[in-house]
Amino acid sequence: MDRLLLTLLCFAFFALCLYGMWRGWRRQARTQSVRVPPFPAVPAERGELLLQTRGLYVSTTTSGHWQDRIVTRGVGMRGPAVLRLYDRGIEVDRAGAPGFWIPRDSVVRVGTAKGMAGKVMGTESLLVLTWRLGDVELDTGLRGDDLSVYPQWIEQAKGGAQV
């Protein structure tokens, strides 16, 4: 009887922890939906395709705060993605989640990083696009399948931005 009671208490504590995490995630999404404008939809006319790479969409965070994950409007979940660079912007095409568009003139910086919310590595193996969305500056990270294309992305995607 004591063992059953202890097991039920452990299960109840675990369920309470899961509920607390779920509530925190939803509260953060509500707060960010006021602070962060909606992400741009991918336009019908994108321009000429310049580069494309596959990889793992890691997350989008507030620029300079690599642990402050943006969770509103479905951009908080990581998963497989294709990053496409066009004349007019960058398409982030995520499998099983809504994609979004980064206009070329809103790109502030393009570079690499060791970590971002949800993924930390020992080497500079994340491609990070820093861009402006309204008054908010964001970092969007991708762990590419082929790291050798990063220099091309850094050179071509910046479009007047700093490296």
Side-chain angles (χ1 to χ4, degrees):
M1 187 66 177
D2 289 338
R3 185 171 282 209
L4 178 63
L5 183 62
L6 185 60
T7 302
L8 289 174
L9 281 173
C10 286
F11 178 74
F13 178 73
F14 180 72
L16 186 63
C17 288
L18 285 177
Y19 177 72
M21 288 189 298
W22 176 77
R23 292 272 313 220
W25 186 274
R26 295 207 13 129
R27 183 179 314 126
Q28 185 177 7
R30 272 194 311 274
T31 303
Q32 288 176 352
S33 69
V34 173
R35 192 172 40 110
V36 178
F39 280 51
V42 180
E45 184 58 40
R46 300 174 188 108
E48 179 187 348
L49 178 63
L50 303 174
L51 277 175
Q52 175 176 311
T53 190
R54 293 186 178 283
L56 177 72
Y57 167 80
V58 176
S59 64
T60 296
T61 63
T62 306
S63 183
H65 303 279
W66 67 281
Q67 288 290 348
D68 186 18
R69 181 192 306 254
I70 303 296
V71 298
T72 187
R73 298 179 184 93
V75 297
M77 304 304 283
R78 76 179 192 182
V82 178
L83 205 60
R84 295 183 185 96
L85 174 65
Y86 292 95
D87 286 339
R88 298 187 179 146
I90 301 167
E91 176 186 6
V92 181
D93 184 13
R94 302 182 307 145
F100 58 92
W101 180 255
I102 302 172
R104 193 79 180 260
D105 59 352
S106 70
V107 175
V108 175
R109 212 170 23 257
V110 181
T112 59
K114 290 182 180 182
M116 189 170 241
K119 192 81 167 164
V120 178
M121 289 160 280
T123 60
E124 299 271 331
S125 52
L126 288 177
L127 181 65
V128 178
L129 307 165
T130 303
W131 58 291
R132 250 185 224 95
L133 180 61
D135 295 335
V136 182
E137 205 167 277
L138 303 171
D139 289 335
T140 296
L142 180 93
R143 169 66 161 97
D145 293 342
D146 182 10
L147 304 183
S148 67
V149 300
Y150 284 6
Q152 292 174 304
W153 273 93
I154 291 170
E155 182 59 34
Q156 292 187 31
K158 66 181 179 180
Q162 305 166 7
V163 175

